[in-house]
Amino acid sequence: MFKEGIFLICFQTVVSIFVSLGLLVYFKNPQVKVDVLITVMIGWIFGFAGILLLPYDLSVAIVNEETVSNLKVMWEIIYWTTFSLAWIILPIQLEYHDSGHFTPTEKFIDALKKNLIFFGSIGLLLLI
C-alpha cells in the first residue's frame, strides 16, 4: 500500500503542476512580473496538492496504517507553504512592484512597511 501511495502522490503532483501551469497561462495578465507568476504557480501547486492528498489521507486513516506521521509532515508543509505564500510573500512582491522607489532595497522596505501597516491595522480593528 505504501508504494502505491508514493506513486499516487507523485502522479498527483505532476497533474497539479500541469493544471497550475495551464491555469497560469490561460488566466495570466501580461503586466504581471515573472517572479509573481512563479510564486502564484507554486501556491497553486501546493493548494492542489492539498486537495489531491486528502483522499489518500482518508484511505490511510481508514486502514489505520503507520504512514500517518509522514502524512502529518506533508500536511504541515502544504499548510505553511500556502499560508506564507498567500499572506507574506505574495503581498510583499505585489507591493514591491507597485512601489515608486528606485533601488531594490528601498522598494523592499517600502513594501514591507505597507504590508505591516495593512496587517497591523486589520489586527487592531479585529482587536477592537
Side-chain angles (χ1 to χ4, degrees):
M1 174 89 181
F2 185 69
K3 288 183 181 180
E4 294 87 11
I6 295 291
F7 172 74
L8 182 65
I9 290 171
C10 291
F11 178 74
Q12 290 177 349
T13 303
V14 170
V15 169
S16 67
I17 288 171
F18 281 113
V19 168
S20 299
L21 187 60
L23 287 171
L24 194 64
V25 167
Y26 185 76
F27 287 110
K28 79 176 181 100
N29 186 342
Q31 298 172 345
V32 177
K33 305 293 184 195
V34 174
D35 62 326
V36 176
L37 291 175
I38 292 170
T39 304
V40 168
M41 185 171 168
I42 292 170
W44 282 355
I45 289 169
F46 277 95
F48 288 135
I51 293 169
L52 296 172
L53 184 64
L54 183 62
Y56 178 67
D57 188 14
L58 292 174
S59 68
V60 168
I62 290 170
V63 175
N64 226 358
E65 287 190 15
E66 294 299 319
T67 58
V68 175
S69 64
N70 293 336
L71 286 173
K72 182 180 183 235
V73 171
M74 289 177 70
W75 278 118
E76 289 176 353
I77 289 170
I78 289 171
Y79 175 79
W80 286 110
T81 302
T82 54
F83 178 85
S84 62
L85 285 172
W87 292 101
I88 300 169
I89 296 171
L90 195 57
I92 290 174
Q93 277 183 318
L94 294 174
E95 287 295 334
Y96 177 87
H97 291 297
D98 286 342
S99 178
H101 295 278
F102 295 109
T103 65
T105 305
E106 289 175 344
K107 284 183 172 187
F108 179 74
I109 291 171
D110 182 52
L112 200 58
K113 282 181 186 177
K114 287 181 180 177
N115 278 290
L116 287 174
I117 290 170
F118 175 74
F119 288 116
S121 62
I122 296 277
L124 185 64
L125 285 173
L126 288 174
L127 185 66
I128 292 174

